[in-house]
Amino acid sequence: LCEVAAFVDGLPPKQRVALVLRKYQGRGYDEIAAKLRARYAAVATAIEFAIPLSGPADEELLRSLIGELRGA
C-alpha cells in the first residue's frame, strides 16, 4: 500500500488525476482530456504509462485519491 501511494503521489498532478479518473472512476479519455484541458493523445499517453506501473491498490487509498480530486 505504501509503495502504491508513494508511486501515485510521485506522479505529476495531471497524470495522477488522469490515472485515477481512468482506472478507478472508469472515465473515458475524451472526458479526462476535457477536464484537464489537454489533448486526447497526451492523456492517453500519460495513462498508458502510469497504469502498468501503478499495480493493485486498496480501497482506502482510492477513496483518498478520489476525495483529493473532488477538492481539486
Side-chain angles (χ1 to χ4, degrees):
L1 174 60
C2 291
E3 293 165 356
V4 173
F7 169 78
V8 174
D9 286 344
L11 290 173
K14 283 188 174 185
Q15 190 174 18
R16 182 174 58 239
V17 170
L19 174 65
V20 172
L21 289 174
R22 176 67 181 164
K23 188 167 183 181
Y24 304 114
Q25 293 189 357
R27 305 287 175 91
Y29 290 157
D30 289 331
E31 183 180 359
I32 296 167
K35 180 171 182 63
L36 297 177
R37 297 185 181 132
R39 292 176 297 135
Y40 178 96
V43 168
T45 300
I47 293 169
E48 294 307 317
F49 173 75
I51 285 177
L53 300 175
S54 64
D58 80 10
E59 195 172 327
E60 183 179 330
L61 172 62
L62 298 180
R63 281 192 205 134
S64 171
L65 291 171
I66 291 167
E68 188 178 311
L69 286 174
R70 289 184 179 146

